[in-house]
């Protein structure tokens, strides 16, 4: 017996199912419509940008780095284009050593190239190309191009290279560039400069290259390229050219710089020459120097070890960071401070028996028999130590600290390159802060005595000494020294002078300054450095100095021949010329060279001859300086126009085209 179906019930169930299905379809289409509206309306800009980025690629155009020139327009740092063989580690299909072996069959790859590559590889990301050989010849480029199919992940690129045509000359001033490391990348991101360094591998590391990085780098340009699905370029959509870096014009005279560096020869030391009227640095010498070209592509291990482990410390900028006891060059400053504080008058005299007793300790004078009766002028001219022992005792350490601070000692000068040392100008507070043990924190009266002759804890840079001297010869005006004269805009050619702060007036009386200046003139006429200025066509002022490196026992006599060369006294000298209207003031040190009158003053004489008379020393003169016989009368000189210039330089290829930069 068959059951009768309830047609009406089945029809209702069917209709209910159709209703549910329709509702689900309606909801689904509603959700799709809402999603479509969300994507089309709210996220249109974002998705359109993503689609456009999938279709296009942005290729950065690295700007040409700005040129560095000296005050006379001589180019000291420039760029050139050369072909580079580069490896992208992430694209290699063979082990790196196998790739090296095969590449060596067609291109000369030395061990130093491999060492530099591995060093750069550690600092790079796997998808970045790293150079294995730079400055390829046309023949090497052709050989590789013919077999390029064998080397996936290896390519030739045209890159800009920095070049320092005069190699070691003025290297501590100019500095160098090097590959951007992780720390520098993070700093650029913090300064919101990372975008301007897309595609840029190098950044200033030292000197002007570092301190004027923003002006020298330029503005990165872009090519917007349309690409296929495989990532190949189809056509260029738009282009925004790069703006080259600006030209930085230094205040130094590179010919003067060369003269001084040649005068120093193989000796160690520093010299800073300043125009006291405006603070422009005319020469900034640190010897020995180094070749900045070694660092551009990443210095190899052997050269780095030579520079870093050398006992001469060629990487140390002695003019900026080297600190030395000023020795007797400190005496003019002490004398002016004594007049300013009323501790001495010009006529007040002391008797010098050749020593000064402080308790049971005998402080020796430079002249065993003593200088007899000594007033302020004679104390400077004859460099009487005993006069300044007494003066230091009468002033006390904290008054000396207060007065010497007026000359900028123990302070940063604010010069426009990074890394300056502040030196040490001691005081009771300084000692309490510096030392840990209670007995070390205490200032002992005997420690004050040697401060008067520029010894003890005193330790200053030649830059500070040169600035201090400039304050005296400019009648009390304290001007911040600077190495950059102006920045020339690469597009408008507008010259932007370096911002100069107005001079600060030191509180010294003009009549007191005049007394000190005249005494320094007498030093060069009849005092310790008179022999170096025989026959000079101008009048100059100066003060020699000798600073101890090695302390001998109280009853022993100093004998340089019995002491290791690096423990011998330093020779120092400060000087200015012409005396009536100074155009140059300098401070210098020749390390372990003994007396300033013998080793330092002759170099200053030749500097003044160059600046004031335009004369260049003869080869005989320079040889006399080198062998320490420069106190003899000055020989023949040649006008600068007859001196071959420039010195040996590197041939610099032409600038790269836009296509080569890509």
């Amino acid at each position: 017996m068959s059951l009768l179906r309830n047609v009406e019930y089945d029809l209702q169930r069917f209709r209910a199912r159709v209703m549910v299905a329709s509702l689900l379809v309606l909801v689904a289409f509603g959700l799709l419509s809402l999603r479509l509206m969300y994507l089309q309306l709210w996220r249109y800009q974002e998705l359109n940008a993503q689609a456009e980025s999938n279709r296009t690629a942005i290729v950065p155009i690295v700007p040409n780095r700005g040129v560095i020139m000296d005050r006379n327009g001589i180019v000291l740092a420039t760029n050139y284009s050369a072909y580079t063989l580069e490896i992208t580690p992430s694209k290699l299909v063979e082990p790196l050593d196998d790739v090296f072996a095969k590449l060596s069959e067609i291109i000369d790859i030395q061990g130093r190239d491999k060492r530099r590559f591995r060093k750069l590889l550690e600092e790079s990301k796997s998808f970045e190309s790293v150079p294995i050989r730079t400055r390829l010849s046309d023949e090497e480029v052709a050989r590789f191009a013919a077999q390029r199919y064998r080397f996936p992940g290896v390519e030739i690129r045209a890159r800009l290279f920095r070049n320092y045509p005069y190699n070691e000359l003025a290297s501590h001033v100019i500095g160098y560039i090097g590959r951007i490391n992780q720390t520098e990348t993070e700093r650029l991101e913090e300064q919101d400069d990372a975008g301007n360094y897309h595609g840029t591998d190098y950044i200033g590391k030292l000197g002007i290259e570092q301190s004027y990085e923003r002006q020298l780098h330029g503005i990165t340009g872009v090519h917007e390229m349309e690409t296929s699905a495989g990532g190949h370029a189809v056509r260029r959509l738009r282009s925004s050219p790069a703006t080259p870096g600006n030209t930085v014009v230094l205040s130094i005279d590179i010919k003067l710089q060369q003269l001084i560096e040649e005068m120093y020869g193989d000796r160690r030391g520093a010299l800073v020459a300043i125009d006291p009227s405006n603070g422009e640095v005319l020469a900034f010498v640190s010897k020995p120097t180094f070749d900045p070209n070694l660092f551009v592509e990443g210095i190899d291990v052997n050269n780095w070890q030579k520079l870093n482990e050398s006992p001469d410390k060629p990487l140390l900028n002695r003019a900026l960071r080297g600190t030395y006891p000023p020795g007797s060059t400190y005496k003019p400053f002490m004398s002016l401070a004594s007049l300013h504080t009323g501790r001495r008058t010009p006529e007040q005299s002391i008797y010098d028996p050749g020593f000064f007793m402080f308790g049971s300790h005998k402080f020796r004078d430079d002249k065993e028999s003593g200088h007899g009766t000594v007033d302020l002028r004679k104390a400077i001219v004859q460099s009487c130590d005993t006069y300044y022992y007494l003066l230091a005792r009468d002033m006390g350490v904290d008054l000396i600290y207060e007065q010497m601070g007026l000359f900028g000692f123990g302070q940063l000068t604010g010069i426009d390159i990074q890394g300056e040392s502040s030196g040490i100008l001691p005081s009771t507070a300084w000692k309490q802060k510096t030392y840990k043990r209670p007995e070390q924190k205490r200032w002992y009266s005997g420690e004050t005595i040697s401060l008067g002759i520029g010894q003890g804890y005193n330790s200053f840079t030649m830059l500070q000494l040169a600035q201090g001297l400039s304050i005296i010869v400019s009648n009390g005006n304290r001007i911040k020294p600077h190495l950059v004269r102006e920045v020339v805009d690469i597009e408008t050619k507008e010259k932007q002078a370096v911002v100069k702060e107005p001079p600060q007036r030191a509180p010294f009386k003009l009549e007191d300054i005049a007394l000190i200046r005249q005494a320094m003139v007498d030093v060069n006429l009849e005092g310790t450095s008179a022999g170096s200025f025989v026959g000079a066509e101008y009048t100059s002022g100066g003060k020699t100095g000798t600073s101890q490196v090695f302390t001998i026992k109280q009853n022993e006599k100093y004998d340089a021949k019995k002491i290791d060369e690096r423990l011998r006294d330093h020779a120092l000298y400060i000087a200015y010329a012409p005396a009536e209207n100074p155009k140059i003031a300098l401070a210098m040190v020749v390390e372990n060279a003994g007396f300033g009158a013998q080793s330092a003053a002759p170099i200053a004489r030749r500097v003044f001859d160059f600046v004031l008379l335009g004369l260049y020393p003869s080869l005989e003169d320079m040889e006399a300086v080198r062998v320490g016989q420069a106190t003899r009368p000055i020989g023949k000189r040649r006008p600068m126009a007859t001196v071959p210039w420039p010195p040996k330089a590197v041939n610099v290829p032409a600038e790269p085209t836009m296509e080569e930069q890509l």
Side-chain angles (χ1 to χ4, degrees), residues 544-596:
T544 57
T546 303
S547 66
Q548 288 184 346
V549 177
F550 174 74
T551 303
I552 61 174
K553 296 179 181 179
Q554 183 173 350
N555 296 322
E556 287 186 8
K557 188 175 181 179
Y558 175 81
D559 187 350
K561 296 179 181 179
K562 297 180 180 179
I563 300 175
D564 182 85
E565 188 268 339
R566 294 181 184 274
L567 297 178
R568 296 172 188 171
D569 293 346
H570 296 322
L572 295 99
Y573 189 55
I574 58 173
Y576 65 95
E580 305 79 16
N581 182 26
K583 295 181 180 179
I584 179 173
L586 64 81
M588 61 178 297
V589 60
V590 184
E591 292 184 8
N592 312 117
F595 300 107

Side-chain angles (χ1 to χ4, degrees), residues 86-92 117 126-130 152-155:
E86 304 193 4
I87 298 176
T88 305
S90 62
K91 295 181 180 180
L92 294 179
F117 175 87
S126 62
F127 56 83
E128 294 178 339
S129 61
V130 180
V154 184
E155 60 181 345

Side-chain angles (χ1 to χ4, degrees), residues 356-602:
F356 171 69
M357 294 299 301
F358 187 82
S360 61
H361 189 86
K362 178 185 284 189
F363 289 87
R364 299 176 183 275
D365 195 277
D366 63 302
K367 186 177 180 182
E368 277 190 52
S369 59
H371 294 86
T373 302
V374 181
D375 61 7
L376 184 143
R377 175 192 168 278
K378 185 177 179 181
I380 295 176
V381 175
Q382 296 191 9
S383 198
C384 175
D385 288 345
T386 303
Y387 184 94
Y388 294 96
Y389 291 145
L390 284 164
L391 177 58
R393 182 200 64 182
D394 294 345
M395 290 184 66
V397 59
D398 286 327
L399 184 57
I400 293 175
Y401 172 83
E402 174 191 306
Q403 293 298 304
M404 292 301 104
L406 298 176
F407 296 103
F409 295 125
Q411 307 165 23
L412 299 178
T413 66
I415 194 170
D416 51 345
I417 56 173
Q418 300 177 31
E420 182 183 4
S421 174
S422 61
I424 298 174
L425 179 62
S427 66
T428 54
W430 166 83
K431 197 174 185 189
Q432 290 173 357
K433 181 180 179 181
T434 303
Y435 292 94
K436 295 181 179 180
R437 296 201 299 267
E439 64 273 17
Q440 292 177 317
K441 291 177 177 289
R442 179 184 173 188
W443 185 273
Y444 297 92
S445 299
E447 294 176 313
T448 305
I449 308 303
S450 57
L451 297 182
I453 62 167
Q455 294 289 162
Y457 294 109
N458 286 323
S459 185
F460 311 133
T461 65
M462 291 304 105
L463 178 59
Q464 289 172 328
L465 274 174
Q467 184 191 46
L469 178 60
S470 295
I471 293 173
I472 292 179
V473 303
S474 64
N475 291 325
N477 289 325
R478 181 174 175 178
I479 304 175
K480 182 185 295 186
H482 55 276
L483 282 160
V484 172
R485 205 176 194 186
E486 59 191 15
V487 177
V488 182
D489 189 282
I490 195 65
E491 294 184 315
T492 66
K493 306 304 179 185
E494 179 184 355
K495 297 180 179 180
Q496 305 166 358
V498 174
V499 177
K500 301 173 185 176
E501 300 176 3
Q504 299 175 352
R505 186 77 177 85
F508 302 117
K509 295 180 181 178
L510 293 179
E511 55 266 32
D512 292 341
I513 293 177
L515 285 169
I516 303 303
R517 288 178 59 173
Q518 184 57 52
M520 295 182 72
V521 169
D522 293 340
V523 170
N524 283 3
L525 292 176
E526 58 183 89
T528 52
S529 54
S532 296
F533 289 88
V534 173
E537 300 177 26
Y538 49 84
T539 305
S540 62
K543 183 68 191 77
T544 57
T546 303
S547 66
Q548 288 184 346
V549 177
F550 174 74
T551 303
I552 61 174
K553 296 179 181 179
Q554 183 173 350
N555 296 322
E556 287 186 8
K557 188 175 181 179
Y558 175 81
D559 187 350
K561 296 179 181 179
K562 297 180 180 179
I563 300 175
D564 182 85
E565 188 268 339
R566 294 181 184 274
L567 297 178
R568 296 172 188 171
D569 293 346
H570 296 322
L572 295 99
Y573 189 55
I574 58 173
Y576 65 95
E580 305 79 16
N581 182 26
K583 295 181 180 179
I584 179 173
L586 64 81
M588 61 178 297
V589 60
V590 184
E591 292 184 8
N592 312 117
F595 300 107
Q598 181 180 5
S599 302

Side-chain angles (χ1 to χ4, degrees), residues 94-213:
E94 295 180 281
L96 188 59
D97 290 336
D98 293 345
V99 174
F100 283 161
K102 292 182 179 180
L103 284 174
S104 298
E105 296 174 0
I106 56 176
I107 291 179
D108 182 25
I109 298 178
Q110 300 291 330
R112 63 176 180 272
D113 298 320
K114 297 177 184 178
R115 289 191 295 271
R116 185 179 64 242
F117 175 87
R118 294 186 188 280
K119 181 176 182 295
L120 294 175
L121 187 61
E122 293 175 359
E123 302 172 356
S124 307
K125 299 176 182 178
S126 62
F127 56 83
E128 294 178 339
S129 61
V130 180
I132 179 64
R133 258 293 310 280
T134 58
R135 305 178 187 181
L136 298 176
S137 66
D138 292 341
E139 181 182 348
E140 288 175 320
V141 171
R143 285 204 303 266
F144 177 80
Q147 303 188 51
R148 185 176 181 178
Y149 66 92
R150 296 174 52 198
F151 301 99
V154 184
E155 60 181 345
I156 287 179
R157 292 184 59 185
R159 283 185 180 267
L160 283 173
F161 289 91
R162 196 63 160 172
N163 177 254
Y164 306 98
Y166 304 120
N167 302 320
E168 296 186 358
L169 184 58
S171 59
H172 286 286
V173 178
I174 302 167
Y176 59 86
I177 66 170
R179 291 181 69 90
I180 300 174
N181 58 37
Q182 185 61 37
T183 301
E184 289 161 339
T185 299
E186 293 172 358
R187 186 176 69 246
L188 290 171
E189 291 174 351
E190 291 175 359
Q191 299 172 350
D192 295 328
D193 282 345
N196 195 35
Y197 280 80
H198 286 163
T200 301
D201 295 324
Y202 300 93
I203 195 170
K205 298 280 188 176
L206 200 71
I208 295 298
E209 291 278 29
Q210 178 188 36
S211 300
Y212 283 80
E213 170 65 28

